[in-house]
């Protein structure tokens, strides 16, 4: 439910905010030239943020934004932001806004997380790192649909559909999920959770911070948000780093289906890892044998689940644990336990992409993912279209294709998109560095290539011979770390698209 969560009415917004929204995408300046937000007043962070950031100490503040930028008397919400300020005034360049992805991921502690991962001091000296809960998330007027872990809708990636009947059955789950969101939306806020509005919020935050321009570092869905901001406000964007790109300014059905491509491209890394440890896990002496073990186990669990784990949940688990090599031992352990008929040690299908948790709980992250994804772009409505997609991807991407092509609540979403998706604007400064692992589960390498083609000469693509989701600071690849840090600190962009060799 959205009631009593910081939503209020305002009659003071400038009429200029409504310009340009009658059936077309509003431009950056038309939004930002209205009555600006009040300057930020920094103070202590909420206790859960303090605990999550420890030992790093952050400051927190709120910035007020309209729910609907298209009307002059829109309701308003407060967005909570955090700051890890530079302590070197002589080296400080400005602000570096952060987004962890999702959509639906809480980002208030992200500055501290990057510190814990070893982000270079030169970056910390150059920027105030700005984390945030974007609209609808966590402490920024959180929304929800009333989803529970026990309910039929528990993850934003649908279950693997073994046949047409499974697609039809999932359609009823998806329909009820969409209707449940509509019933719980008592403040009428869900329809305004869009990438375009969040990009406008970023510009409001920039103005409140007193900055003429802002830099941005976004991961996964954060690349869509960063691409939208750089397109809507090109002259207000400074140095933009987009890591693990989904390929556009929004996630659509094709983008979701690419999760299956990423799984196919990443699974061989796990298979080689497991084959080298066959004496311990017994999953196969070669990569091909490990793959056959997985497919046979999934098929067996389709027929006879073990301890409540069926083939669909095994496939969700596998997708989740392919995100990082650090999870490979746990994944091998699950395979080993299930093959022997034992209950696995971990029973979760949650991933940073599918159900990123927030301080408001998993329902909050699920609801935001749905709202933003369904509001940004039209999705197919006919169940038959999903049956065809599932059948095609079951053959094309046998590991996970019949899940990511399956039907979602977007097919039954009660709100039509208020505006077209943000078009990528290649007319602007050359200030966009795209960072992309060659093998990445939810954001395969093609996403970086797609955005490179759309931004043309505004961008450069830094490909990284690595496996996993997230590269800069997160992968340990020295070339990716050095190249990206050099760009953020000095502004030196690679002269051409570059491949970083394996570490």
């Amino acid at each position: 439910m959205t009631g009593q969560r910081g939503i209020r009415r305002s009659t003071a917004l400038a009429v200029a905010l409504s310009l340009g929204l009658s059936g077309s995408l509003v431009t950056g300046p038309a939004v930002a030239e209205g009555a600006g937000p009040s300057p930020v007043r920094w103070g202590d962070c909420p206790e859960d943020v303090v605990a999550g950031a420890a030992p790093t100490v952050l400051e927190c503040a709120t910035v007020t934004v309209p729910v609907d930028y298209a009307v002059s008397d829109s309701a308003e919400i407060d967005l909570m932001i955090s700051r890890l300020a530079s302590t070197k005034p002589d080296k400080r360049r400005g602000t570096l806004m952060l987004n962890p992805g999702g959509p639906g991921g809480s980002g208030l502690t992200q500055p501290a997380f990057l510190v814990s991962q070893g982000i270079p001091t030169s970056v910390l000296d150059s920027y105030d790192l700005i984390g945030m809960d974007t609209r609808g998330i966590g402490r920024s007027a959180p929304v929800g649909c009333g989803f529970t872990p026990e309910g039929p809708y528990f993850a934003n990636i649908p279950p693997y559909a073994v046949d047409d009947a499974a697609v039809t059955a999932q359609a009823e789950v998806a329909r009820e999920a969409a209707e449940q969101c509509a019933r719980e939306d008592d403040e009428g806020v869900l329809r305004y959770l869009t990438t375009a509005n969040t990009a406008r919020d970023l510009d409001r935050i920039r103005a409140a911070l007193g900055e003429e321009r802002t830099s941005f570092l976004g991961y996964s869905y954060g690349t869509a948000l960063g691409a939208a901001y750089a397109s809507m406000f090109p002259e207000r964007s400074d140095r933009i780093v987009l890591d693990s790109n989904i390929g556009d300014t929004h996630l659509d059905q094709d983008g979701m289906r690419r999760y299956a491509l990423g799984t196919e491209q990443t699974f061989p890394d796990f298979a080689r890892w497991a084959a080298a440890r066959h004496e311990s896990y017994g999953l196969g002496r070669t990569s091909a044998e490990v793959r056959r073990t997985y497919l046979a186990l999934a098929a067996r669990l389709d027929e006879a689940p073990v301890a409540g784990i069926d083939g669909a949940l095994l496939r969700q688990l596998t997708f989740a644990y392919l995100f990082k090599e650090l999870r490979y031992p746990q994944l091998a352990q699950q395979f080993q336990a299930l093959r022997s008929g034992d209950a696995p040690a971990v029973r979760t299908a949650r991933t940073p992409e599918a159900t990123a948790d927030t301080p408001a709980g998993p329902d909050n992250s699920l609801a935001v993912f749905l709202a933003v994804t369904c509001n940004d772009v039209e999705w197919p409505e006919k169940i038959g279209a999903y049956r065809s997609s599932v059948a095609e991807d079951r053959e094309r991407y046998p590991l996970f294709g019949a899940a990511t092509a399956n039907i979602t609540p977007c097919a039954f979403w009660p709100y039509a998109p208020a505006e077209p998706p943000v078009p990528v604007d290649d007319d602007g400064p050359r200030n966009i560095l795209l960072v992309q692992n060659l093998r990445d589960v939810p954001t395969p390498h093609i996403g970086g290539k797609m955005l490179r083609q759309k931004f043309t000469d505004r961008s450069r693509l830094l490909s990284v011979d690595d496996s996993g989701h997230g590269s800069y600071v997160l992968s340990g690849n020295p070339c990716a770390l050095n190249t990206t840090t050099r760009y953020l600190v000095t502004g030196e962009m690679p002269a051409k698209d570059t491949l970083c060799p394996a570490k």
Side-chain angles (χ1 to χ4, degrees), residues 341-374:
D342 296 331
V346 179
R347 299 188 193 180
T348 176
R350 299 194 185 281
T351 71
E353 283 300 297
T355 54
D357 208 352
T358 76
D363 173 47
N364 181 209
S365 58
L366 286 165
V368 172
F369 184 102
L370 277 184
V372 174
T373 304
C374 302

Side-chain angles (χ1 to χ4, degrees), residues 213-224:
R213 296 186 297 170
T214 186
S215 295
F216 181 88
L217 169 60
Y219 295 88
S220 195
Y221 165 76
T223 65

Side-chain angles (χ1 to χ4, degrees), residues 129-146:
L129 267 56
I130 306 297
M132 66 189 72
D133 280 352
T134 52
R135 60 169 54 207
I137 296 170
R139 292 186 174 273
S140 296
V143 299
C145 292

Side-chain angles (χ1 to χ4, degrees), residues 45 48-49 52-54 56 58-60 80-84 96-102 105-119 124 129-134 216-223 225 241 243 470 472-474:
C45 292
D48 61 309
V49 178
T56 301
L58 304 176
E59 302 170 281
C60 285
M80 183 167 285
I81 64 175
S82 63
R83 178 176 72 167
L84 180 61
L96 179 63
M97 294 186 183
L98 308 173
N99 187 274
S106 174
L108 285 173
T109 62
Q110 194 177 7
F113 171 74
L114 290 176
V115 170
S116 74
Q117 297 299 301
I119 192 169
L124 300 177
L129 267 56
I130 306 297
M132 66 189 72
D133 280 352
T134 52
F216 181 88
L217 169 60
Y219 295 88
S220 195
Y221 165 76
T223 65
L225 178 58
V241 176
D243 189 324
Y472 180 57
V473 179
L474 305 180

Side-chain angles (χ1 to χ4, degrees), residues 230-281:
S231 296
M232 295 172 69
F233 306 95
E235 299 307 321
R236 291 173 188 163
S237 64
D238 191 12
R239 294 171 183 170
I240 307 296
V241 176
L242 307 181
D243 189 324
S244 305
N245 295 268
I246 67 174
D248 212 319
T249 62
H250 58 277
L251 179 64
D252 57 12
Q253 187 192 26
D254 289 340
M256 183 77 81
R257 291 174 73 178
R258 284 194 290 273
Y259 288 10
L261 170 63
T263 303
E264 292 286 344
Q265 293 176 339
T266 306
F267 188 88
D269 287 346
F270 166 74
R272 283 189 292 271
W273 181 95
R277 295 159 177 81
H278 174 73
E279 292 186 14
S280 295
Y281 296 110

Side-chain angles (χ1 to χ4, degrees), residues 185-500:
D185 187 23
D186 48 13
E187 292 282 357
V189 174
L190 280 183
R191 70 185 67 197
Y192 302 109
L193 300 186
T194 68
T195 300
N197 280 338
T198 303
R200 295 172 181 123
D201 293 343
L202 294 185
D203 205 54
R204 282 296 185 105
I205 294 170
R206 173 204 58 77
L209 294 172
E211 301 288 340
E212 292 186 3
R213 296 186 297 170
T214 186
S215 295
F216 181 88
L217 169 60
Y219 295 88
S220 195
Y221 165 76
T223 65
L225 178 58
Y229 185 82
S231 296
M232 295 172 69
F233 306 95
E235 299 307 321
R236 291 173 188 163
S237 64
D238 191 12
R239 294 171 183 170
I240 307 296
V241 176
L242 307 181
D243 189 324
S244 305
N245 295 268
I246 67 174
D248 212 319
T249 62
H250 58 277
L251 179 64
D252 57 12
Q253 187 192 26
D254 289 340
M256 183 77 81
R257 291 174 73 178
R258 284 194 290 273
Y259 288 10
L261 170 63
T263 303
E264 292 286 344
Q265 293 176 339
T266 306
F267 188 88
D269 287 346
F270 166 74
R272 283 189 292 271
W273 181 95
R277 295 159 177 81
H278 174 73
E279 292 186 14
S280 295
Y281 296 110
L283 301 180
R285 298 183 182 279
T286 67
S287 297
E289 288 182 0
V290 173
R291 182 184 176 93
R292 287 195 293 270
T293 295
Y294 167 77
L295 291 172
L297 179 59
R300 193 179 87 191
L301 293 174
D302 287 335
E303 299 295 329
V306 173
I309 307 298
D310 60 10
L313 188 52
L314 172 68
R315 294 175 177 97
Q316 292 272 8
L317 285 165
T318 302
F319 175 83
Y321 282 100
L322 289 177
F323 271 56
K324 287 295 177 185
E325 185 176 338
L326 288 174
R327 298 183 177 186
Y328 287 1
Q330 292 171 299
L331 181 58
Q333 181 188 53
Q334 306 311 303
F335 285 9
Q336 188 178 39
L338 288 166
R339 287 187 78 197
S340 65
D342 296 331
V346 179
R347 299 188 193 180
T348 176
R350 299 194 185 281
T351 71
E353 283 300 297
T355 54
D357 208 352
T358 76
D363 173 47
N364 181 209
S365 58
L366 286 165
V368 172
F369 184 102
L370 277 184
V372 174
T373 304
C374 302
N375 288 335
D376 272 357
V377 65
E378 293 277 4
W379 284 65
E381 297 180 359
K382 294 184 177 180
I383 299 174
Y386 292 93
R387 292 196 195 101
S388 297
S389 297
V390 166
E392 179 181 342
D393 284 6
R394 189 186 296 115
E395 296 297 322
R396 185 168 56 163
Y397 306 126
L399 296 179
F400 203 46
T404 63
N406 203 354
I407 193 165
T408 79
C410 291
F412 309 102
W413 197 242
Y415 312 118
E419 57 185 310
V422 178
V424 173
D425 186 358
D426 62 0
D427 183 14
R430 193 181 74 181
N431 64 343
I432 301 167
L433 180 62
L434 308 169
V435 185
Q436 196 81 31
N437 285 338
L438 292 183
R439 300 170 301 284
D440 184 335
V441 185
T443 56
H445 186 256
I446 191 174
K449 295 173 67 175
M450 291 169 60
L451 210 50
R452 173 70 172 91
Q453 292 173 352
K454 292 169 184 173
F455 272 120
T456 62
D457 202 46
R458 286 194 68 186
S459 65
R460 291 292 182 267
L461 176 60
L462 183 68
S463 300
V464 185
D465 188 358
D466 206 342
S467 180
H469 192 47
S471 183
Y472 180 57
V473 179
L474 305 180
S475 72
N477 184 283
C479 168
L481 179 70
N482 294 337
T483 303
T484 308
T485 298
R486 184 163 55 247
Y487 172 58
L488 286 172
V489 175
T490 71
E492 182 183 341
M493 177 84 77
K496 59 182 181 179
D497 293 347
T498 302
L499 173 64
C500 284

